[in-house]
Amino acid sequence: MDKYDELVQCGNFAIVDAAMKCRDVLSSHKLAVVSVSGGADSDVMVDLVTRTNQATEIIFTNFDTGIEYDATKDHLRYLEDRYGIEIRRIRAIKTIPVCCKEYGLPFLSKMVSHQIEILQHGNFRWEDEQYTKLTNMYPNIPKSAIKWWTNTYGDRSTIYRIDRNPYLKEFIMEHPPEFPISDKCCVYAKKEPSKKFLLNIGADLCVIGVRKSEGGIRSTVDSCFSHGDKYDIYRPLFWMEKQDRQEYEEMFGIVHSECYRSWGFVRTGCVGCPFDRDCESQLAIAESNEPRMAKAANKVFGKSYEYTRMFREFRAKRLLEDEERALKTAKSRSDSLKKSIEMIDRKTGEVIKRYASQIDAEADTGIAQSSISSCIHGKRPSAGGYYWRFSDEA
């Protein structure tokens, strides 16, 4: 049984489907560039591609952002030895430190950083105004950024709304960023070098190891394959869930970098990247294993770390206040349900009957407790044809 047959007979539909699609896509292209990051998804992608490729010319690449773990570099050499491949190291057009200095620091997520950068360039003053008013006040700011700020995009689940991150807007209004924020580090350290390389060698396919279930920007793409004017983009692991990837790793003996095996990371990338939710905990681990790189990350991203901490503390406080408010409201409602009430004749205003609670009144009359409560609190004139009030009221 060859390596491809092992894939298509493994019993996991997601893996089988990925293998068959991968063979078809590769066979329909002449020159493919496979971007190897050294992360867990990338490891599985390299194994999948080498098992399914028949005759397509493949160039494996790694884009050095200027702030990479030594463990990742060691792992790239391991992959070369295991699969008998060469991974071309390609330098960033502008390294991460340079991008951060020239454009701004990454903060929270690529989407958040991108929108804040646009607003900062337009000298936005972080006002809480309606969309129409803000577009008139700031005619030079792209409307997409103002839509993001004002939550004008309809679907509350979309990443194109600031309230996707609870209390971020309120935080920024109280604590406007005092340093430039940008997502350009990814653009010039990874995306643009990749595009330039693909065009220079005349590749017709770019292969990247991303999964839709990871969320973020990835979740906005609807397909594992995208046609392009110059080259196509293929995401062979796109429909795999985390458990599918883990099953693949167990079946085919995938070995990840030291970052995963010994340090306990669940994902890797640039050292201390602020886009990673666990960046500070990972940085603390890195300080014990690669103190030189951890020190470099703190020097580059320090202001972003501090601002992120401020936001998380702000959000935690607001969420706690919300919880306390909800508990207080629930207690008040519970207390009100236990208070004695009176049924009042609408014509005479006389008390017809007293009940120990709203629940008792509902049981006796069949009138919904919610309707009785609404009447008591002035939200409706009557319930069941009667007025209602707490018995201790005049």
Side-chain angles (χ1 to χ4, degrees):
M1 184 183 296
D2 66 20
K3 291 183 177 182
Y4 176 73
D5 288 336
E6 287 181 328
L7 280 174
V8 296
Q9 295 180 30
C10 72
N12 180 304
F13 175 78
I15 295 173
V16 173
D17 183 59
M20 296 177 70
K21 286 179 180 175
C22 192
R23 172 162 283 199
D24 288 344
V25 171
L26 289 175
S27 64
S28 63
H29 292 80
K30 295 180 180 180
L31 176 57
V33 172
V34 178
S35 182
V36 184
S37 68
D41 288 336
S42 176
D43 289 345
V44 172
M45 177 186 65
V46 171
D47 190 88
L48 178 67
V49 167
T50 54
R51 285 174 180 272
T52 55
N53 185 45
Q54 293 176 300
T56 303
E57 182 180 356
I58 293 178
I59 297 176
F60 295 91
T61 60
N62 171 262
F63 297 92
D64 186 351
T65 65
I67 187 163
E68 302 284 342
Y69 289 109
D70 290 335
T72 298
K73 296 176 182 178
D74 292 340
H75 186 63
L76 294 178
R77 288 188 282 271
Y78 160 79
L79 292 175
E80 289 178 314
D81 291 340
R82 172 169 177 171
Y83 295 103
I85 60 176
E86 176 191 358
I87 301 175
R88 294 194 193 181
R89 276 64 164 183
I90 299 174
R91 189 69 172 170
I93 293 176
K94 294 181 181 180
T95 63
I96 297 291
V98 170
C99 285
C100 290
K101 186 175 181 180
E102 290 189 9
Y103 303 107
L105 299 177
F107 165 67
L108 213 61
S109 73
K110 293 178 184 178
M111 174 58 66
V112 168
S113 297
H114 179 65
Q115 302 297 348
I116 291 178
E117 179 180 22
I118 294 173
L119 294 172
Q120 283 182 321
H121 285 175
N123 296 314
F124 191 68
R125 293 188 293 274
W126 316 110
E127 296 115 319
D128 186 19
E129 299 287 354
Q130 296 297 314
Y131 169 75
T132 303
K133 184 174 181 178
L134 289 177
T135 54
N136 291 330
M137 291 171 63
Y138 299 97
N140 295 323
I141 294 181
K143 290 182 173 58
S144 59
I146 296 179
K147 276 190 172 185
W148 174 78
W149 175 258
T150 56
N151 294 307
T152 307
Y153 288 100
D155 185 357
R156 292 187 65 85
S157 66
T158 182
I159 64 173
Y160 299 106
R161 291 171 57 113
I162 193 171
D163 64 1
R164 177 73 178 268
N165 294 279
Y167 289 113
L168 177 59
K169 181 175 182 177
E170 292 81 357
F171 170 74
I172 294 176
M173 289 172 61
E174 287 193 28
H175 306 280
E178 297 179 353
F179 59 93
I181 290 174
S182 173
D183 68 333
K184 291 293 192 303
C185 54
C186 287
V187 173
Y188 291 110
K190 296 179 180 179
K191 292 181 181 178
E192 289 301 318
S194 175
K195 185 187 297 184
K196 182 179 179 181
F197 181 78
L198 284 156
L199 293 175
N200 284 346
I201 66 171
D204 58 354
L205 182 66
C206 173
V207 184
I208 53 178
V210 297
R211 292 181 297 109
K212 186 177 178 65
S213 61
E214 287 184 281
I217 293 293
R218 295 173 177 86
S219 65
T220 63
V221 181
D222 294 325
S223 173
C224 65
F225 186 85
S226 303
H227 285 289
D229 294 334
K230 302 295 183 179
Y231 54 84
D232 299 327
I233 298 176
Y234 178 48
R235 311 165 189 88
L237 309 187
F238 194 64
W239 299 114
M240 280 193 190
E241 299 289 341
K242 185 178 180 180
Q243 59 268 26
D244 298 318
R245 192 196 74 191
Q246 291 174 336
E247 189 171 340
Y248 190 109
E249 293 165 350
E250 293 171 4
M251 284 191 292
F252 302 109
I254 304 301
V255 177
H256 296 310
S257 78
E258 198 74 12
C259 297
Y260 294 89
R261 289 184 289 115
S262 301
W263 302 0
F265 284 5
V266 295
R267 63 183 301 169
T268 59
C270 300
V271 179
C273 175
F275 289 152
D276 193 321
R277 295 178 183 177
D278 300 319
C279 65
E280 291 205 70
S281 62
Q282 291 198 1
L283 198 60
I285 296 172
E287 286 174 352
S288 301
N289 295 279
E290 295 189 18
R292 179 180 63 85
M293 295 309 301
K295 183 178 180 180
N298 273 304
K299 184 176 181 180
V300 174
F301 302 125
K303 289 183 179 179
S304 181
Y305 294 153
E306 182 180 353
Y307 197 56
T308 301
R309 281 193 293 269
M310 286 176 60
F311 166 59
R312 287 177 174 167
E313 290 170 2
F314 179 93
R315 180 176 60 187
K317 182 180 178 183
R318 289 297 186 92
L319 290 174
L320 180 60
E321 290 172 352
D322 288 346
E323 184 178 350
E324 291 174 345
R325 211 163 18 245
L327 289 172
K328 186 176 180 181
T329 299
K331 184 179 184 304
S332 175
R333 182 174 182 276
S334 176
D335 290 344
S336 114
L337 288 175
K338 295 175 183 177
K339 291 178 68 174
S340 59
I341 61 172
E342 298 173 342
M343 175 193 287
I344 310 296
D345 187 285
R346 293 180 64 183
K347 293 182 179 180
T348 66
E350 295 180 355
V351 175
I352 300 174
K353 197 170 184 179
R354 289 185 174 86
Y355 294 96
S357 69
Q358 296 173 41
I359 297 173
D360 289 342
E362 180 180 25
D364 181 53
T365 65
I367 302 169
Q369 176 269 318
S370 58
S371 298
I372 295 173
S373 178
S374 294
C375 179
I376 291 173
H377 292 93
K379 296 179 181 179
R380 58 185 297 165
S382 64
Y386 302 97
Y387 294 135
W388 298 85
R389 69 184 182 195
F390 290 121
S391 62
D392 57 348
E393 292 182 355

